[in-house]
């Protein structure tokens, strides 16, 4: 009985991911506000009634996407912070992971920007997760400032600026004919981490090598390794 339930859950998860991938394509072409459940069903070649088996309405689809994205981001950020790396390396890795999560591991992540489309309990739950993630990033930066790794700054403003830059990548990133999500994430990480460093020399090279050699990281099961096998 347990095996049957697990198989059913796996199929449901796979189908939801397929739906989110289709929704992502429609969101990009039509915009979030103009996209309806019928548009997503048409993209899938699915009867709209079947789509409602997986999501009650568009709001529940958006909420599910944001929940999954934020849960993954917060989990991986906490694991990075708990690791042995210095705060500048942790910020670098967290930024790469964030860009990868939004643009490769989480289909439909364009919906991550549209918290205003949610109401009631959905909105409250998502805002709480967003605040938890923002606070964790802010604390990482503040620890770096206190430890002399980052220049003196307002850690909250820095965290919000970094989040804004990372989240906006879903608006413009395209993997075809250009950089991969990882390459874009590493470029962002180099720019945003170095902008906060007290001493700039040699950190870009060492952090880039760290992101390229994740399997050898002393952190073991590093968050970016998990992104190689995305799942809902």
């Amino acid at each position: 009985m347990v095996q049957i339930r697990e198989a059913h859950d796996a199929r449901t998860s796979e189908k939801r991911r397929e739906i989110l991938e289709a929704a992502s394509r429609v969101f990009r072409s039509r915009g979030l506000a103009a996209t309806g459940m019928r548009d997503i069903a048409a993209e899938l070649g699915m009867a709209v009634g079947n789509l409602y088996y997986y999501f009650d309405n568009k709001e529940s689809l958006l909420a599910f996407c944001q929940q999954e994205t934020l849960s993954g981001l917060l989990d991986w950020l906490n694991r990075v912070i708990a690791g042995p790396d210095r705060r500048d390396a942790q910020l670098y890795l967290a930024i790469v992971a964030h860009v990868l999560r939004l643009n490769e591991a989480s289909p439909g992540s364009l919906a991550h920007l549209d918290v205003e489309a949610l109401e009631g309990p959905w909105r409250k739950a998502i805002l709480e997760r967003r605040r938890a993630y923002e606070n964790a990033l802010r604390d990482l930066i503040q620890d770096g400032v206190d430890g002399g790794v980052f220049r003196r700054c307002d850690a909250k403003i820095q965290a919000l600026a970094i989040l804004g830059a990372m989240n906006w990548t879903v608006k413009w990133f395209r993997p075809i004919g250009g950089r991969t999500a990882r390459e874009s994430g590493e470029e962002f990480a180099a720019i945003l981490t170095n902008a906060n460093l007290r001493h700039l020399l040699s950190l870009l090279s060492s952090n880039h090598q760290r992101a390229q050699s994740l399997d050898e990281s002393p952190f073991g099961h590093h968050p970016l390794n998990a992104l190689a096998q995305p799942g809902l």
Side-chain angles (χ1 to χ4, degrees), residues 56-95:
D56 291 338
N57 48 42
K58 179 182 170 182
E59 186 181 19
S60 69
L61 186 152
L62 293 175
F64 179 80
C65 177
Q66 294 193 36
Q67 260 186 335
E68 290 297 309
T69 300
L70 284 166
S71 293
L73 289 172
L74 184 57
D75 176 56
W76 292 332
L77 179 58
N78 286 334
R79 289 165 60 188
V80 167
I81 291 172
D85 295 323
R86 212 172 74 166
R87 291 307 190 201
D88 53 336
Q90 291 180 353
L91 180 60
Y92 182 95
L93 292 170
I95 292 170

Side-chain angles (χ1 to χ4, degrees), residues 23 26-40 58:
V26 182
F27 290 158
R28 287 185 183 278
S29 64
R30 294 178 59 88
L32 283 169
T35 298
M37 295 291 272
R38 291 186 180 277
D39 300 314
I40 298 170
K58 179 182 170 182

Side-chain angles (χ1 to χ4, degrees), residues 113-151:
L113 299 181
D114 200 19
V115 69
E116 302 300 327
L118 303 178
E119 299 178 355
W122 284 123
R123 182 183 175 87
K124 181 180 179 181
I126 295 301
L127 286 175
E128 286 177 355
R129 291 183 186 227
R130 282 176 173 264
R131 280 191 290 268
Y133 187 69
E134 176 192 320
N135 291 341
L137 184 61
R138 181 199 62 203
D139 291 346
L140 186 162
I141 294 170
Q142 187 62 58
D143 284 348
V145 171
D146 294 341
V149 176
F150 296 142
R151 64 181 178 80

